[in-house]
Each structure stands twice: as structure tokens, then as C-alpha cells.
Amino acid sequence: MTFHADRHVHILIIGGGAIGTSLAYHLARDGAKDVLLVEKSQLTHGCTWHAAGLVGQLRSKRNLTRLMQNSVAVFDRLEEETGQAISWRKVGSLRLAGSRDRWSEIRRSMGQAKSFGVECHALSASEAKGLFPFIVEDGIEGAAFIPGDGYIDPYSLTMAYAKGARQYGAKIEEGVCVEEIVVEGRRALGVVTNTGNISCEILVNCAGLWAKRVGEMAGVSLAAGIVEHQYFLTEKKLKLDPNLTTLRDPDNNFYLKPDTGSFAIGGWEDGSKGCWRGKPPLDFGRELFEPNMDRLELFALPAAERLPVLNEIGIQTVINGPIPVSYDGEPIIGLVPELDNYYTGCGFTAGIAASGGGGLALSNMILHGDAGMDLWAFDTRRFGPLHSQGRYLEQRAIEAYGSYYKIHWPSEEAHAGRGLRRSPLHEQLRKNGAVFGSKFGWERPNWFSLPGSEAIELGSFEGKPGWFDAVGAEVKAIRERAVLIDQTSFSKFEISGKGALSAMQHIAANDLGTKPGHAIYTQLCNNNGGIEADVTILHLSDDLLWLVTGSGFGVRDRSWVERQLPDGVNVRDVTDQYAVINICGPKSREILQSVSDDDLSNEAFPFLTARKIEVGDATALAVRVGYVGELGWELYIAQEFAPHVYDTLKEAGQPFGIADAGYRAIEACRLEKGYLYWSGDITPDYNPYDAGLGFAVALDKGDFTGREALRTIKKDGVTRKLCSFTIDGFAPLHGGEAILSGGEVVGSTASTGYGYTLGKTIAFGYLPASLADEKSFEIEAFGKAYKATRGPRVLYDPKMERLKA
């Protein structure tokens, strides 16, 4: 269509809740000019107005905690800065543990708090009652108190953001409903509203409940669901200390905020109702649903057991309203992969608590191209179109909502919406005892149950998980014999067209200029040298390359590459066309050679070779590379031939004791080998030299993204180094634990796990460069300090003799 704008703005924000107004405030405060926020009704009229307003900072990952800490920093200054009261009550938060498993989970969080710099105190049941006298102590194993938490009035907070935004020059218009978004190529040109057409340079979707609908207006898929959420206000018959802390009792599934003479109490019950498949009508406004007393009882009755005073007072009001819940329960922030000027800030279940930090991070992305921290766990690109499918999204949103206060076991898997994407080997692997996990909709074998044993998926906080011995058997097979691993879920992209090689040379840090028929391990860096992706590139010809990356990183990595490619070079997703079977282990060559007429000797097929071979009666692209540190090949096979190749290899491998292995065994092996995982060990916060990946940086190959920054980093030296640590025997590490030197926190762990071959617990973590040559450290977990030895960067086969055999 031809788009005629009635007016033009630089940055247009859709949505006037806490997130949208916070973004407008932070943009304008940072000097952005010509910022306009439009709200279809009135400010707060989506779900902000009925939010409870609790503020909690501690999250499971460092940067997520930092985002919440940034929110508190904004709350601390906002009232004085704007002159608008926000009723910010920094009274702390008390979290109770009603079981030993919960106490383990909370103690783990407190250990992370120490490494994150969040003040947190462990309390006994009697000390907890001293802070919150209304509770009964029965069944309380312990409690955590975070003094910097509290609660705030959502309406007043939003009005303060709006006032601050206006003070700094932004404009806010209510009663302006966006009805259509006009897109041309990869840009949103502007919007059609009930009051006229507005063109813009940057469009931001902060539409809250309507985010998915506003996304679809621009052809953008967003995994932003909606469910019903209830809380109630008691009668105002209580005498409360004005500094009474907030309370969370996850084992009884409720949270509590003190109010004027009353309590506001809510929960996260199973079986909540999904709303509109995530797409409410545009005319839905400041409305609530009828209370559902059956669901209310699921947290109200347990709350009365913990707080007997509730049996003496009645319920004054029940609030049952819609709230956003994304596919995985976390917010959706950032530039969308489909367009070059369309950002999102939506899916915030805890939108009030996160509004300050979320608005700041999104403002930094828009104005400076960097959030100020890696926010992959919130990134828009962690989802693809499949996650926004109505029924699939609703199932997962309801489960994520109901799991909010459940114990989150290490390595836990979701249960809703399973079985969507299956490898052609799925049924055979199931018969072989596979216990599946889910990644990007794919069913993947996490591990295989041992004959005669019960498959126990449940993890453990302080002990060995149920799958510990089974995974150990798979690792033994990898190291001593041979295994087959189904890696079909790998994201695979074909990059083709004239100039494809030179285009990718400009994006990748390593040199891709070897002759065709090779695999190259490389990072894709940003202009600051930070690692945006960690991939393998297959150089098949100068006009044809493949990019292979993790199952959950495909949308992100494709977007990063595609935005930098010149016209005429195209990217095509071939993930679903090819299965991937990894045959690896010291006997893998003998097995594969027995079913192939191609020469697979080390001389004819050396490490990092990529070449088509025959396997049985089929053809595969064989790539001599792997993630477990052993001799092996990744075989890329057309989906329809994969079962034949698997059966052929399995039969040929029987005399050698071939076995199946899953992703948990891969994880254990890669830790021993010192291989890194993007989003855990390496992120945009770190550069290749920090992480010991300088060997994959070719500064002398010519210009590439991040080259000048990396040249400077190499010249000046790094300030931190990624190190490996080992603890003798088994230790209950899960990542995020504090690393101590001389009793002081000097870092935190990233990846952790057990090295079955070494008989040691392994952890990766960054240390200040000044400490990176020290040997003796401690890693603190569940209140215990474990002696940890800093080891070499590669703990297993450092000379790569087995890998290159």
C-alpha cells in the first residue's frame, strides 16, 4: 500500500504501561529527541493497573539479577527526580522454605546472591517469625531475607515514568489506537491509528497484553501469551508495622504484600486459564474477569495454614485479571529478527519489578546498540515462529505460570507441548531407552536408561541426579569404544551466492580461506569484540557454505549473519532437511570404514575435513569434528535416509560394543575437553581472548567485524581470564557459585558438571588476570566451601592426540 504519514517521529512506542513509560523516560533522559508514546486507552489500562507491585531482585543468572538491581536503583531516585510519589517501600522480602528440597533451592540462590553482590541473609524459623510475626513456624526449614526488596504502587510508578519522560522532552498521547503497521522490505515505515498516520524511524512494541497482536500487524511472531492471575485483598482489620516485610511462601504457593490494614495475597496455581490465545481484542480495556474460587482456594487455603490470622478476617476483594506470560515465562526484549527497526519490550510477568531495569536496557539497545549486559535469557531471538503458535504457546504459558513457585530442579525439562518436532530416529531411540528433553521444539535424547533400571529424570540440588550412573556409562563408551548421538536438532543454514565466502570472511573472526572441503570453528564478534555467536562453518565451495550452530541459537545467529550480508548472498534454513548422526569414540573409524568404500584414514580424511561419503546404501556429508574430544564424524544425511544409516552403523558397531549416548554425556565430555558453551561460558560480555579462544581469531586475514577492538585487546592484554577448576570427587555445583580466594569473592562459576573420566567435578569461571595463575581457590555451594584447583585450560587430551588420531 502507499503510506502517507500525517506526521513523523524518530522513535514511536506503542503501549502506556509500566514498561512503555519506563522506556520513554529512559530514552528521553539519555538525550533521545522526538520520542512519542501512544496508548490506545489511558496509561496503565492494560494489566499495570491491577498488578500487585512486589519487587524482588534475585534471579538465577547474574545479568538478570543486575537488571532487577537496576530497577531498584531507578525506584530509589525516581520520586525525587520527578516530584511524583511512587509509594516505594523498601522493606525487604522474606522467602520461606517449607521442605528440605526448597531449602536447598533457596540456599543455592543465596550462594548465587553472594557472587552477584546482592545482600541476602539466611534465617532460622524463629528469626523469620521475628520479621513476620503472623506466620507459624511449623515446617519451616529456613528462610532468606533480602533487605533491598520491597513493594511499590504500580499506578503511581507509571505516572512517575510518564512525568519524567515529559520533563525530558518525550511526548505521550492517550486515546491513540494503532490499527495497522506498514512494512516495506525489512523496515516498519509507520502506523495507522484512529487519529491519523504516524511514520517513524524506530518502532517499539511495549503493548503488554496486545504485544502478540501488534507483532502480527508487522509480520513479527512473538511468543507472548496471556493467562488469568488472581490475588485477593483481606478486610482492613489488621494492625501492621509500617515496615513489615513482604512474604513469599513458595511451598504454600503464595506471596503477600502488606497493605493499609490488610494483606494482598496472590499465588501461581496450576491450571490457570489461557486468554484469547494471546490476542485480546483491541477494545478490551480496564477490565477484570469473574473470580474463580476453586483456583483461589489452591493458594488461599495453604496461606491460611501459614497465617492463622486469615481465618479471623474475611476477603474484601478478589482481583482476577489477565497478565502476560511468555512461552518460557521470561520477558521478550530486543530487536526482532524479521525487521531492522522494530523492537519489543513485552512478555513481562513481573513487569513492575523489572520495569526500571527493562526500560534502561531497551533504551541502551536502541540508542547505543548494546543493552549494557548480555540478556540472552530475555532475547527476542531465543524464540522462533513455532513458539508463537496459538495452542502451543498457550500450553507452555499456562505451565510456566503454574511453575512460578515450584521447585526448579537443575536441568529440569518442561512437560507441556512436547513432541512437536521429532528426528527420524526418534522412535528407534525411544525403544532403546532414550529419555528425551526438549530444545526449540525438538525432542532430543538427554540420556539412555540402563537395562533393568528405572528411568529417573529428576535432578538433585545437593546429591547425584537420578541419571548420574547412566550418563557415566555413556561417557565410558565414548572414551573407550564408540557411540551414536542423534544431533538432528542442530540449526543448519546454507549461505550461498556469488561472494558468499568473502562475505562470511567479513563476519567471522577466524580465517575461512582454506580450500573447500573443510570445517572451521569460529566466533562471530561485535564491534567491541564481544562474542555474538560460536559456530562451525563448512566451506563447501566459494559460493556455498554451511553455518552450524546450537539448536536454540538458530534464530539469533541467522539474524546476526543476515543483517551483515550483501545483496546477492542468501541464507536458507536447512535444519529440517538433514538429520545429523555423530559417530564418535576410538573405535568409530573402524566401524564407519566397515560400511563405506571411501578412504577414512587419517591421511585421506584428517581432522576438520568435510566431504561427502557413502554410508551403507546412502550418502552423507561427513565432517570430522565433534564436541566430545574424541575421534569422530558428524554425518549430515537427508532425513529420509537417516534411519538406514543409523541401523547400518548400529549393526556394524555391535562387535565393538557401540552404544547410544545423549546430550548429558556430551556435556560431561565437553567440560573435560575444555569446549565452551555460548550463553554460559561465552557471551557478548566476553571476547575470544578472555575465553582462551585467541587461536580462532585471524587478525591478519583482513577486515572483519570486531577486528580493531580485538587487535587492541590482544595488544593491551585482557583483564580477566576464563579458567577451569576441579574438585576431587563429586560436588553439587550448578553454576553461579561464588569463587573465593583468601575468603574474598573473586568470581562466579559458569558451566559446571562432573567429569567421569577424571573423577572430578569441573567448573569454568572467569578470574581477574592478576589471579589467573594462582592454583588454590574455594568454590562455595550450599554453605560449604570446596577446595578447588585451577587447572589447565584443557583438562583432557590437551595435545589433541585422540581427536586427531
Side-chain angles (χ1 to χ4, degrees):
M1 65 173 287
T2 302
F3 180 64
H4 298 288
D6 301 305
R7 50 182 170 147
H8 179 83
V9 298
H10 182 60
I11 302 174
L12 178 62
I13 303 168
I14 303 172
I19 303 299
T21 53
S22 173
L23 173 61
Y25 160 74
H26 281 99
L27 286 169
R29 191 175 189 266
D30 197 17
K33 306 299 182 185
D34 203 15
V35 176
L36 171 64
L37 181 151
V38 295
E39 160 58 42
K40 71 179 184 64
S41 182
Q42 293 180 297
L43 299 184
T44 78
H45 274 208
C47 53
T48 296
W49 70 275
H50 62 75
L54 270 74
V55 176
Q57 298 172 77
L58 188 61
R59 293 296 188 271
S60 60
K61 295 185 179 179
R62 174 183 297 274
N63 283 352
L64 308 190
T65 298
R66 284 176 59 198
L67 186 138
M68 306 306 280
Q69 288 175 301
N70 288 345
S71 279
V72 169
V74 173
F75 301 159
D76 286 344
R77 71 164 191 261
L78 190 62
E79 185 169 318
E80 181 177 354
E81 184 177 331
T82 64
Q84 170 73 44
I86 60 174
S87 300
W88 168 222
R89 303 301 304 278
K90 202 171 186 177
V91 295
S93 68
L94 182 67
R95 183 178 292 262
L96 306 179
S99 66
R100 290 190 176 183
D101 288 336
R102 179 72 69 180
W103 187 224
S104 292
E105 182 185 47
I106 290 177
R107 286 162 58 225
R108 177 194 177 192
S109 295
M110 289 193 291
Q112 292 174 323
K114 184 171 185 176
S115 72
F116 295 166
V118 177
E119 184 182 356
C120 186
H121 304 280
L123 306 180
S124 66
S126 60
E127 289 171 326
K129 185 174 177 63
L131 278 179
F132 203 95
F134 295 93
I135 65 173
V136 294
E137 298 179 38
D138 293 349
I140 296 178
E141 292 282 336
F145 179 65
I146 301 178
D149 290 349
Y151 60 95
I152 199 165
D153 177 55
Y155 178 85
S156 299
L157 174 65
T158 304
M159 293 305 166
Y161 285 142
K163 185 175 181 182
R166 292 185 178 106
Q167 286 174 344
Y168 288 114
K171 295 180 180 179
I172 296 175
E173 297 180 7
E174 298 174 300
V176 179
C177 181
V178 174
E179 299 170 341
E180 186 179 349
I181 297 174
V182 180
V183 173
E184 184 177 282
R186 290 186 53 86
R187 294 189 65 81
L189 300 182
V191 300
V192 176
T193 80
N194 59 326
T195 63
N197 298 346
I198 309 170
S199 61
C200 60
E201 299 300 319
I202 295 170
L203 184 64
V204 192
N205 178 353
C206 294
L209 297 176
W210 295 270
K212 190 172 191 292
R213 185 178 288 278
V214 171
E216 289 183 352
M217 290 180 185
V220 171
S221 62
L222 293 174
I226 305 170
V227 305
E228 292 186 9
H229 176 61
Q230 295 189 117
Y231 67 92
F232 65 88
L233 291 168
T234 69
E235 294 176 328
K236 296 182 179 296
K237 295 181 178 180
L238 298 169
K239 292 184 179 180
L240 303 179
D241 185 319
N243 293 315
L244 183 66
T245 184
T246 62
L247 177 70
R248 293 170 174 85
D249 187 345
D251 289 299
N252 284 313
N253 201 23
F254 76 89
Y255 62 80
L256 180 152
K257 178 185 76 170
D259 205 358
T260 306
S262 67
F263 292 145
I265 298 175
W268 305 93
E269 73 280 8
D270 279 327
S272 181
K273 182 180 179 182
C275 306
W276 307 291
R277 298 277 195 257
K279 296 190 291 183
L282 290 175
D283 59 0
F284 182 84
R286 197 172 186 271
E287 302 172 48
L288 295 172
F289 305 124
E290 286 295 317
N292 184 307
M293 302 311 291
D294 290 337
R295 291 208 318 266
L296 194 77
E297 287 184 353
L298 295 177
F299 61 87
L301 295 182
E305 292 180 9
R306 180 64 69 200
L307 302 160
V309 69
L310 294 181
N311 297 308
E312 302 170 12
I313 57 176
I315 294 177
Q316 176 177 288
T317 306
V318 176
I319 305 293
N320 184 19
I323 63 169
V325 182
S326 75
Y327 175 89
D328 62 5
E330 298 290 0
I332 306 171
I333 304 177
L335 184 63
V336 302
E338 296 93 338
L339 299 173
D340 293 334
N341 67 333
Y342 186 114
Y343 292 81
T344 65
C346 63
F348 283 84
T349 302
I352 305 305
S355 61
L360 174 62
L362 190 50
S363 173
N364 285 336
M365 288 182 191
I366 293 169
L367 297 183
H368 309 297
D370 181 1
M373 66 186 89
D374 172 51
L375 289 177
W376 167 243
F378 289 179
D379 198 301
T380 308
R381 297 165 294 175
R382 75 188 188 276
F383 297 132
L386 69 92
H387 297 101
S388 66
Q389 296 172 146
R391 292 175 182 269
Y392 186 51
L393 171 60
E394 185 168 279
Q395 291 178 64
R396 280 298 183 96
I398 290 172
E399 181 179 65
Y401 170 87
S403 299
Y404 205 83
Y405 272 176
K406 290 181 179 177
I407 293 174
H408 293 287
W409 299 98
S411 305
E412 70 178 358
E413 294 281 351
H415 300 286
R418 293 293 296 269
L420 182 63
R421 303 175 84 180
R422 299 181 185 183
S423 154
L425 306 180
H426 178 88
E427 189 58 23
Q428 182 61 56
L429 297 178
R430 185 190 65 79
K431 292 177 181 178
N432 292 354
V435 180
F436 292 95
S438 178
K439 179 72 73 172
F440 217 78
W442 286 99
E443 293 294 308
R444 313 191 311 174
N446 276 343
W447 57 286
F448 289 79
S449 58
L450 295 171
S453 67
E454 184 181 356
I456 302 174
E457 168 64 11
L458 191 65
S460 174
F461 287 107
E462 300 188 54
K464 295 177 180 177
W467 39 262
F468 185 85
D469 291 337
V471 171
E474 293 172 29
V475 171
K476 184 178 177 65
I478 290 171
R479 297 291 188 227
E480 297 179 2
R481 308 189 309 274
V483 301
L484 297 176
I485 307 174
D486 181 10
Q487 297 177 172
T488 299
S489 65
F490 274 8
S491 295
K492 304 170 279 287
F493 299 96
E494 179 186 273
I495 302 169
S496 62
K498 187 175 181 180
L501 176 62
S502 60
M504 288 305 299
Q505 278 280 40
H506 194 269
I507 298 172
N510 208 346
D511 188 1
L512 312 182
T514 56
K515 61 182 180 180
H518 283 76
I520 302 95
Y521 170 62
T522 185
Q523 288 73 52
L524 312 183
C525 297
N526 58 36
N527 288 327
N528 297 321
I531 301 171
E532 293 286 345
D534 186 64
V535 303
T536 299
I537 293 178
L538 309 182
H539 180 184
L540 304 180
S541 74
D542 288 353
D543 294 336
L544 176 63
L545 300 94
W546 277 19
L547 184 147
V548 182
T549 187
S551 308
F553 304 143
V555 172
R556 178 194 171 95
D557 293 357
R558 175 180 183 166
S559 175
W560 182 259
V561 168
E562 210 161 32
R563 292 180 194 278
Q564 300 181 68
L565 290 179
D567 292 341
V569 179
N570 302 305
V571 179
R572 185 168 68 98
D573 189 343
V574 295
T575 301
D576 296 341
Q577 295 182 35
Y578 295 93
V580 181
I581 300 175
N582 182 359
I583 179 170
C584 56
K587 301 298 183 182
S588 60
R589 176 181 284 119
E590 294 173 74
I591 297 169
L592 185 58
Q593 187 67 82
S594 72
V595 296
S596 177
D597 293 334
D598 294 273
D599 187 352
L600 303 178
S601 66
N602 201 36
E603 294 73 24
F605 209 119
F607 183 59
L608 297 179
T609 296
R611 181 185 308 154
K612 285 187 177 181
I613 65 171
E614 292 183 0
V615 183
D617 298 333
T619 300
L621 173 62
V623 184
R624 196 175 156 196
V625 70
Y627 201 42
V628 297
E630 296 289 346
L631 170 68
W633 283 262
E634 290 175 358
L635 304 175
Y636 294 78
I637 312 144
Q639 291 263 6
E640 62 268 30
F641 301 121
H644 165 76
V645 172
Y646 174 85
D647 291 343
T648 299
L649 292 171
K650 199 67 181 289
E651 182 179 354
Q654 291 306 311
F656 300 90
I658 198 168
D660 291 300
Y663 277 80
R664 298 238 163 93
I666 293 176
E667 176 70 5
C669 290
R670 73 96 180 170
L671 284 168
E672 292 182 325
K673 187 58 181 169
Y675 289 158
L676 306 183
Y677 182 68
W678 191 90
S679 80
D681 310 311
I682 48 177
T683 73
D685 288 346
Y686 303 103
N687 64 70
Y689 295 110
D690 290 338
L693 298 174
F695 67 87
V697 177
L699 291 175
D700 59 352
K701 72 168 183 175
D703 192 30
F704 62 89
T705 305
R707 181 189 184 207
E708 291 309 309
L710 291 170
R711 186 195 298 276
T712 300
I713 292 166
K714 183 178 181 181
K715 178 184 175 217
D716 295 345
V718 297
T719 60
R720 59 194 173 184
K721 291 184 178 180
L722 182 66
C723 299
S724 71
F725 302 86
T726 57
I727 298 171
D728 289 339
F730 176 83
L733 305 187
H734 304 292
E737 293 85 6
I739 303 171
L740 309 176
S741 177
E744 298 295 323
V745 177
V746 295
S748 63
T749 62
S751 289
T752 62
Y754 187 71
Y756 293 87
T757 314
L758 303 177
K760 298 174 185 287
T761 299
I762 301 169
F764 295 159
Y766 287 87
L767 291 176
S770 59
L771 291 175
D773 291 331
E774 300 293 325
K775 290 288 186 182
S776 298
F777 294 85
E778 291 182 328
I779 296 177
E780 190 173 279
F782 301 100
K784 179 180 177 180
Y786 292 84
K787 291 183 179 180
T789 302
R790 184 197 57 77
R793 181 64 178 70
V794 177
L795 297 166
Y796 177 80
D797 188 28
K799 295 182 180 179
M800 301 183 74
E801 294 170 337
R802 297 174 67 89
L803 192 65
K804 295 182 177 181

